[in-house]
């Protein structure tokens, strides 16, 4: 009988120990009350779902690491049909047989949505985990809505990118201080009726005031489509692939 009592006592003690080890602090489980302010805690896993095109160089297996280019399409290519992503930019060139010396990831934004930095960050994280990518040579570029997305993603994660190429987009000039260490090449059409040239001009001016490294190409006769000329220019890729984050200075280009 005495032995049974000790066993019972041990079980009760173990249950009590587990209860105290797993209980939520009183401050975190307090229920909101009208007229009072109480501390609470959010603990939620956010799921990200994005379809994307992935391009690996022909000789991908022959090197230990490769640059990564993240391409963001415009508003007209949103939806759930990845073929639409091939209409412009690097995916269009790759579909026509163009070979690039970098990994290219081209996600598709769902219909009626805009590019979200949190979603794109999750995508880049996964690509870095699964493929042989040089973390010091990660670039982002986009056109129109994707140009806006390029600016906002860089502002959200300024430590990640080695260079930016926003085309006919825009952003908040206040972001310039956060991204002034990242080399940027901006493209825009002077006669753009959709996104005024001023949107790029304001970002370029803000970057210059912040001491940033910025190039600005304005096509004098181009309308909204300034991306075709930009992405067909070999100099863009030559410049892009020269940029690299310097050790100890996240996002800053190598001299």
């Amino acid at each position: 009988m005495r032995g049974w009592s000790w066993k019972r006592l041990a079980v009760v003690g173990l249950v009590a120990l587990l209860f105290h080890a797993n209980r939520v602090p009183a401050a975190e489980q307090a229920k909101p009350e009208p007229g009072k302010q109480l501390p609470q805690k959010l603990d939620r896993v956010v799921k990200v779902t994005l379809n994307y095109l992935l391009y690996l160089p022909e000789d991908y297996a022959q090197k230990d690491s490769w640059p990564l280019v993240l391409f963001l399409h415009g508003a007209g290519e949103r939806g759930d049909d990845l073929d639409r992503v091939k209409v412009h930019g690097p995916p269009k060139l790759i579909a026509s047989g163009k070979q690039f010396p970098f990994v290219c990831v081209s996600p598709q934004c769902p219909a009626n949505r805009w590019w979200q930095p949190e979603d794109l960050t999750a995508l880049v994280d996964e690509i870095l985990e699964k493929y042989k990518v040089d973390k010091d040579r990660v670039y982002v570029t986009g056109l129109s809505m994707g140009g806006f997305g390029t600016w906002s993603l860089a502002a959200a994660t300024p430590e990640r990118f080695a260079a930016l190429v926003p085309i006919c987009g825009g952003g908040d000039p206040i972001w310039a201080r956060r991204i002034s260490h990242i080399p940027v090449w901006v493209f825009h059409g002077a006669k753009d009726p959709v996104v005024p040239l001023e949107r790029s001009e304001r970002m370029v001016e803000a970057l210059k005031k912040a001491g940033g490294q910025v190039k600005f190409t304005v096509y004098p006769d181009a309308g909204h489509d300034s991306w075709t000329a930009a992405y067909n220019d070999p100099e863009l890729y030559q410049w892009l692939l020269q940029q690299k984050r310097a050790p100890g200075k996240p996002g800053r280009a190598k001299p």
Side-chain angles (χ1 to χ4, degrees):
M1 185 69 177
R2 181 177 300 174
W4 180 86
S5 298
W6 279 109
K7 290 181 179 179
R8 181 179 180 184
L9 182 61
V11 170
V12 172
L14 179 59
V15 171
L17 179 62
L18 291 174
F19 173 79
H20 286 288
N22 291 283
R23 66 180 298 187
V24 178
E28 294 181 11
Q29 62 181 357
K31 294 183 179 180
E33 297 181 29
K36 292 185 178 181
Q37 179 174 252
L38 299 174
Q40 301 292 307
K41 181 178 181 179
L42 172 67
D43 185 6
R44 178 185 293 267
V45 176
V46 179
K47 181 179 179 180
V48 176
T49 301
L50 279 177
N51 295 321
Y52 62 92
L53 296 172
L54 173 68
Y55 167 81
L56 300 178
E58 280 190 324
D59 52 349
Y60 174 77
Q62 298 176 19
K63 293 185 179 180
D64 294 332
S65 64
W66 291 88
L68 168 64
V69 172
L70 174 66
F71 168 72
L72 307 180
H73 63 69
E77 290 75 64
R78 291 177 292 184
D80 56 6
D81 180 2
L82 277 174
D83 283 339
R84 300 180 70 174
V85 181
K86 302 175 185 178
V87 173
H88 302 300
K92 175 183 179 180
L93 298 174
I94 292 170
S96 67
K98 176 76 173 178
Q99 297 294 318
F100 284 116
F102 51 76
V103 174
C104 186
V105 174
S106 306
Q108 184 172 37
C109 186
N112 302 316
R113 292 191 59 190
W114 296 85
W115 292 117
Q116 300 297 321
E118 297 82 3
D119 295 349
L120 296 172
T121 295
L123 173 60
V124 174
D125 285 342
E126 175 159 311
I127 297 300
L128 294 181
E129 292 172 3
K130 295 175 64 175
Y131 299 96
K132 299 187 297 181
V133 172
D134 183 346
K135 294 182 180 180
D136 286 328
R137 301 178 73 192
V138 178
Y139 316 109
V140 58
T141 181
L143 60 92
S144 194
M145 184 185 81
F148 284 88
T150 297
W151 288 115
S152 63
L153 178 59
T157 54
E159 75 287 347
R160 165 154 280 172
F161 298 105
L164 315 174
V165 181
I167 301 176
C168 60
D172 190 335
I174 201 172
W175 295 340
R177 293 184 180 181
R178 292 180 56 80
I179 63 175
S180 62
H181 59 280
I182 309 176
V184 183
W185 192 347
V186 181
F187 293 84
H188 216 117
K191 300 178 181 179
D192 193 331
V194 179
V195 181
L197 175 61
E198 179 188 1
R199 297 305 303 268
S200 283
E201 290 176 330
R202 292 173 59 196
M203 295 303 294
V204 169
E205 184 62 25
L207 280 172
K208 288 181 177 179
K209 289 182 178 180
Q213 306 173 54
V214 57
K215 299 178 65 172
F216 190 22
T217 296
V218 177
Y219 297 113
D221 297 321
H224 191 46
D225 181 5
S226 52
W227 55 81
T228 297
Y231 287 126
N232 283 340
D233 187 350
E235 187 178 348
L236 184 159
Y237 304 101
Q238 294 170 7
W239 174 85
L240 193 65
L241 296 175
Q242 290 173 0
Q243 312 307 319
K244 185 176 181 180
R245 294 191 308 178
K249 298 180 181 179
R252 186 174 295 279
K254 181 176 66 175

